Amino acid sequence: MPRVIVVRAMRVVPAPPPIVWSLIADQRLDALWREGVLAMSQDTESTVRPGTRTVEEFTMLGQRMLNEAVICEVDEGVRFTWRTTFGTDADGERRLVAAPDGRTLVSITTTSRPGSAIERALSPLIGPVLRRSLERSLERFEYLVETRTEFRSSSDGTASAR
């Protein structure tokens, strides 16, 4: 059984990196596009920076879960990395690559380490489920970018899916 599950999805979106960065690096918006995310908050305004802390409420395989994470590295406008501090043992990266035609390649990678016996037993299912979910999430992200959807963040720094 795999001890580490690495999932990556990529998608080209029709906007330049600065616009894409403003949406993908403000994790308060994740509930608007990431499949399964019910609510997401971060303790900083606007885009993430090293040390930003997040709290994510989501569903996975029918279970409601909570993760807390910290942003580790930020290369402004290009990439950021994160790791969980509570919940699922995971880390990841969001990366942008400018395309010559004004579009942006978005790459999201997540690495999970199943810890409990049930997580290890389910790990053959978790990888494919995470991959499909991430691919659908990037489709939703592309739609968000295309429409430049207006969104409302609540005063406590959270956004909820509608």
Side-chain angles (χ1 to χ4, degrees):
M1 278 180 227
R3 294 273 181 198
V4 175
I5 300 168
V6 179
V7 177
R8 176 176 292 133
M10 294 186 284
R11 189 168 191 94
V12 176
V13 297
I19 291 171
V20 176
W21 180 260
S22 71
L23 298 171
I24 204 157
D26 185 343
Q27 291 198 282
R28 297 170 300 171
L29 306 179
D30 281 21
L32 301 176
W33 61 273
R34 281 187 48 224
E35 185 174 277
V37 175
L38 304 171
M40 185 78 161
S41 66
Q42 70 183 43
D43 66 358
T44 56
E45 292 295 319
S46 189
T47 59
V48 297
R49 57 183 177 260
T52 294
R53 297 202 168 272
T54 63
V55 177
E56 168 188 50
E57 184 180 343
F58 65 103
T59 58
M60 168 62 71
L61 298 174
Q63 298 294 311
R64 194 176 196 111
M65 303 175 79
L66 184 74
N67 279 344
E68 294 178 10
V70 63
I71 303 303
C72 303
E73 298 174 15
V74 177
D75 184 0
E76 185 72 27
V78 177
R79 69 182 273 276
F80 71 89
T81 64
W82 57 269
R83 67 174 169 76
T84 56
T85 57
F86 175 84
T88 306
D89 182 6
D91 59 71
E93 175 187 72
R94 295 183 185 181
R95 178 180 293 271
L96 307 180
V97 177
D101 60 2
R103 298 183 306 159
T104 304
L105 173 65
V106 178
S107 173
I108 299 178
T109 305
T110 301
T111 302
S112 303
R113 288 164 289 284
S116 69
I118 190 79
E119 287 175 334
R120 286 190 302 275
L122 291 174
S123 63
L125 299 173
I126 293 172
V129 166
L130 286 174
R131 182 170 291 105
R132 284 190 299 276
S133 176
L134 195 52
E135 289 168 355
R136 287 189 299 262
S137 293
L138 280 178
E139 287 176 23
R140 291 172 60 172
F141 181 74
E142 179 180 11
Y143 180 76
L144 177 68
V145 171
E146 286 175 341
T147 59
R148 296 183 187 176
T149 301
E150 289 299 315
F151 50 85
R152 287 185 231 132
S153 292
S154 66
S155 60
D156 66 356
T158 62
S160 296
R162 299 189 201 329

